[in-house]
């Protein structure tokens, strides 16, 4: 297997587990929580770093925004030997009792996106691996962190999430909406690999506090920025058990 065309990595360059934020800037933030870190490659929306956390070697790779770019990252990391993927992202709440800064561990992702449909029928479930899901929940409990655990939605069209869509997702019991998990879960399952996701809430679509509505210069509200760090710690602790 030669150099992957987007991540610019080869077999042997990465570890067996990858933490995958969407934002390339969050790669450095995750790396700052680790003991050692070294940049492996950077191209387009993909920044790839190898790091060590409490003796566990791991890879951190950004996926960019949305399922298409996330699928490329999963495909190319799988090609060079990565076997477990943990999404560390942000998400918009769909239930009124979920607040900005809360954390959600996904038990599944509704396929409101087009990428997974190119791989399989929409009736096939986009679900995390049980061991990854359990490790995230157990890590949160060990850190005395409260997390919401339940289904989320993955959507392609950030600016087309209408009131009707939001009401339907809310009525269906979806906890939040983001833009990558459905493809990550589906591809990992199809390849016999493992995936899971923990996301920090950056707005509440039901309450009308979408990301960006109450910030001036920053993408995330202050509480969400602070709690992204806590979600990173949970994901890193989970990685030591996987």
């Amino acid at each position: 297997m030669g150099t992957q065309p987007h991540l610019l990595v080869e077999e042997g360059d990465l570890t067996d587990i990858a933490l995958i934020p969407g934002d390339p800037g969050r790669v450095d933030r995750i790396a700052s929580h680790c003991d050692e870190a070294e940049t492996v490659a950077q191209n387009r929306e993909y920044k790839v770093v190898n790091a060590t956390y409490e003796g566990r070697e791991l890879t951190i790779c950004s996926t960019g925004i949305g399922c298409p770019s996330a699928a490329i990252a999963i495909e190319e990391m799988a090609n060079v030997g990565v076997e477990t993927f943990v999404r560390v992202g942000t998400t918009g709440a769909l239930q009124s009792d979920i607040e900005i800064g809360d954390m959600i561990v996904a038990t599944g992702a509704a396929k409101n996106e087009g990428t997974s449909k190119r791989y399989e029928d929409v009736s096939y479930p986009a679900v995390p691996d049980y061991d990854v899901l359990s490790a995230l929940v157990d890590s949160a409990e060990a850190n005395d962190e409260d997390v919401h655990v339940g289904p989320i939605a993955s959507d392609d069209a950030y600016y087309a999430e209408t009131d009707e869509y939001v009401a339907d997702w809310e009525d269906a019991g979806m906890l939040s909406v983001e833009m990558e998990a459905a493809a990550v879960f589906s591809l990992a399952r199809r390849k016999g690999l493992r995936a899971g996701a923990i996301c920090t809430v950056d707005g509440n679509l039901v309450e009308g506090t979408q990301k960006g509505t109450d910030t001036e210069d920053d993408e995330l509200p202050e509480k969400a920025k602070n709690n992204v760090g806590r979600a990173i710690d949970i994901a890193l602790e989970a990685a030591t058990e996987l």
Side-chain angles (χ1 to χ4, degrees):
M1 186 70 65
T3 301
Q4 300 301 299
H6 302 93
L7 300 190
L8 304 182
V9 296
E10 299 179 357
E11 190 169 0
D13 284 348
L14 308 184
T15 70
D16 66 315
I17 185 169
L19 272 60
I20 51 171
D23 180 4
R26 200 167 298 137
V27 172
D28 292 334
R29 184 167 182 185
I30 296 172
S32 73
H33 289 238
C34 296
D35 305 315
E36 301 174 9
E38 180 182 5
T39 299
V40 177
Q42 186 164 7
N43 183 49
R44 298 193 180 208
E45 62 263 56
Y46 305 110
K47 182 170 186 177
V48 187
V49 168
N50 282 341
T52 303
Y53 178 80
E54 295 185 357
R56 178 61 159 110
E57 294 183 347
L58 55 90
T59 294
I60 311 162
C61 177
S62 55
T63 65
I65 297 175
C67 285
S69 61
I72 288 173
I74 299 301
E75 290 276 11
E76 296 191 4
M77 281 190 280
N79 284 344
V80 299
V82 179
E83 299 174 345
T84 302
F85 304 91
V86 182
R87 170 159 157 70
V88 186
T90 55
T91 190
L94 293 169
Q95 302 297 322
S96 59
D97 62 339
I98 299 178
E99 299 181 357
I100 292 174
D102 284 5
M103 292 173 282
I104 294 173
V105 175
T107 58
K111 296 177 175 180
N112 293 99
E113 41 74 41
T115 302
S116 67
K117 297 179 180 68
R118 294 296 301 271
Y119 288 86
E120 63 186 21
D121 188 80
V122 70
S123 63
Y124 296 155
V127 293
D129 174 80
Y130 178 78
D131 289 340
V132 181
L133 168 63
S134 298
L136 288 168
V137 174
D138 291 347
S139 175
E141 291 177 351
N143 287 359
D144 293 323
E145 296 280 13
D146 292 326
V147 294
H148 303 273
V149 181
I152 65 174
S154 294
D155 186 50
D156 273 347
Y158 181 86
Y159 287 104
E161 291 166 354
T162 63
D163 291 342
E164 290 76 17
Y165 271 111
V166 171
D168 188 50
W169 288 329
E170 179 187 16
D171 290 345
M174 299 293 105
L175 299 188
S176 69
V177 58
E178 49 80 84
M179 301 185 72
E180 293 84 23
V184 172
F185 293 168
S186 296
L187 265 66
R189 171 178 46 75
R190 293 186 68 84
K191 293 177 177 294
L193 305 176
R194 305 190 299 179
I198 181 169
C199 295
T200 304
V201 173
D202 58 15
N204 189 308
L205 280 69
V206 175
E207 297 297 319
T209 57
Q210 288 93 330
K211 178 169 65 176
T213 58
D214 58 355
T215 57
E216 294 181 1
D217 299 321
D218 296 327
E219 178 183 352
L220 299 179
E222 195 65 30
K223 187 176 180 182
K225 284 195 294 184
N226 292 340
N227 285 8
V228 163
R230 295 162 68 186
I232 289 169
D233 288 338
I234 290 170
L236 287 169
E237 291 289 340
T240 66
E241 303 298 323
L242 293 168

